[in-house]
């Protein structure tokens, strides 16, 4: 991963374009409620980056520590 799990959570919480990945019909509320870049439709999990290029801007604007 490019950043820590905590950084991905912080970025997703500040992202106005966050779209959760649709889950199967079986719902696990602990997974569905977890807002993170890795659970966003705009996140490329293979290459660990935001497809709409918002990650770096959010980190910079909200002074998020990527190594938390």
């Amino acid at each position: 991963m490019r950043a820590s799990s905590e950084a991905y959570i912080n970025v997703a919480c500040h992202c106005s374009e966050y779209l959760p990945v649709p889950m199967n019909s079986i719902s696990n509320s602990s997974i569905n409620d977890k807002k993170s870049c890795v659970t966003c439709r705009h996140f490329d999990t293979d290459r660990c980056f935001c497809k709409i290029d918002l990650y770096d801007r959010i980190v910079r604007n909200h002074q998020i520590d990527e190594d938390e």
Side-chain angles (χ1 to χ4, degrees), residues 2-18 35-38 40 43 50 53-66 68:
R2 172 181 160 175
S4 69
S5 296
E6 198 62 35
Y8 284 138
I9 292 168
N10 287 335
V11 168
C13 287
H14 289 96
C15 184
S16 61
E17 298 299 319
Y18 174 80
K35 198 173 192 183
S36 172
C37 292
V38 297
C40 179
F43 190 73
C50 177
D53 204 25
L54 291 177
Y55 178 87
D56 291 328
R57 191 177 334 166
I58 293 169
V59 166
R60 192 171 44 251
N61 289 344
H62 294 278
Q63 294 140 3
I64 295 170
D65 182 4
E66 294 180 273
E68 290 179 350

Side-chain angles (χ1 to χ4, degrees), residues 19 24 35 41:
L19 286 173
N24 296 339
K35 198 173 192 183
R41 292 184 204 186

